[in-house]
Amino acid sequence: HTPNSCCLHTMGSKQSAGVGSVFRAPPMELELADNPMLGCDGVSALAPLLASGSIVVLNLENCGVGEAGAVALGRALASSRCVLECLHIGRNYIGAGGAAAIAEGLSRGAIARAAAAAAGTAGAVAAPRGAVTAGMLRELSMGHNAFGCAGAIALATAAASSDALSALERLDIPMNGIGAAGMEALAEVMLAAPAARCGSQGVVTAAATASSSASVGEDNNDDNNTVDDEAAAAATAAA
């Protein structure tokens, strides 16, 4: 795509609007990559679409998204009606706070969908590509940001506290300065037990697991050394 481009793809057939019902187009794939002027305000503008269940794939790579945009995104992800399956938000300016906001939003959204499904309310939604699931996200790409170990731990916490990442097949988080502590947290709850993260086919493929592991390990050495030194110092102090 060329800079400042936008591409929309809708999925499935349009739902007919019955008497008293609210018409909503089928979930769309929204491609906004390489729009650096979009920024946090742009993310805030599209957040209601995400929260309403109108977006199933969202690409915000290199869109000038910072902490405020990540917070807006997290709030939208917390909606019980959110049906997002693929989120690409690499090459932005998301730090530990922004990563934590996104992780918390994913967790709250999964919990809300599970509660809605259990209660049989209108808030319960079916995954566009498969069975009803509290955790719908299949792909998460957040590479080339700056969230470090704290951001990785936030993602691990989201996975441990809910079904937010239970359907995850691919995780790309290279070039984030993730050291040993972050990797340990991720490995414990996600990468070390792929059988616990079953997608629509019931299993996580070896290729998907391998790609996740490889992407996590591609951080630059300088960032890793800094974070690893901090983790080692903390461990020494604790001992």
Side-chain angles (χ1 to χ4, degrees):
H1 292 84
T2 58
N4 299 318
S5 65
C6 176
C7 182
L8 302 176
H9 298 286
T10 57
M11 300 176 57
S13 58
K14 291 185 177 180
Q15 303 169 354
S16 60
V19 177
S21 66
V22 178
F23 177 82
R24 180 170 61 84
M28 70 177 73
E29 297 182 5
L30 181 55
E31 169 66 65
L32 288 165
D34 298 316
N35 281 290
M37 298 300 292
L38 187 73
C40 296
D41 290 342
V43 173
S44 296
L46 66 83
L49 284 174
L50 183 60
S52 70
S54 297
I55 301 175
V56 69
V57 176
L58 177 60
N59 190 342
L60 291 169
E61 296 266 351
N62 188 31
C63 283
V65 182
E67 299 291 79
V71 169
L73 190 60
R75 289 173 180 164
L77 292 169
S79 169
S80 65
R81 300 200 63 83
C82 180
V83 296
L84 192 69
E85 292 187 1
C86 300
L87 174 60
H88 300 270
I89 194 165
R91 295 185 294 137
N92 282 293
Y93 306 100
I94 298 173
I102 291 173
E104 181 182 359
L106 289 169
S107 179
R108 289 174 56 196
I111 292 171
R113 283 188 293 277
T121 65
V125 294
R129 302 178 196 265
V132 174
T133 175
M136 293 182 173
L137 202 68
R138 296 183 300 107
E139 294 185 14
L140 177 59
S141 176
M142 297 177 66
H144 296 259
N145 281 289
F147 54 72
C149 275
I153 291 171
L155 290 173
T157 300
S161 62
S162 71
D163 288 333
L165 304 181
S166 62
L168 196 67
E169 298 172 1
R170 184 178 180 89
L171 175 63
D172 289 327
I173 48 176
M175 301 298 289
N176 273 294
I178 298 172
M183 188 64 250
E184 181 179 358
L186 286 170
E188 182 176 355
V189 298
M190 292 193 298
L191 303 182
R197 300 186 290 105
C198 294
S200 60
Q201 301 300 317
V203 296
V204 176
T205 64
T209 304
S211 66
S212 297
S213 302
S215 295
V216 171
E218 291 173 1
D219 298 343
N220 63 57
N221 291 332
D222 290 341
D223 287 338
N224 273 341
N225 290 337
T226 299
V227 178
D228 287 345
D229 289 344
E230 292 173 355
T236 302

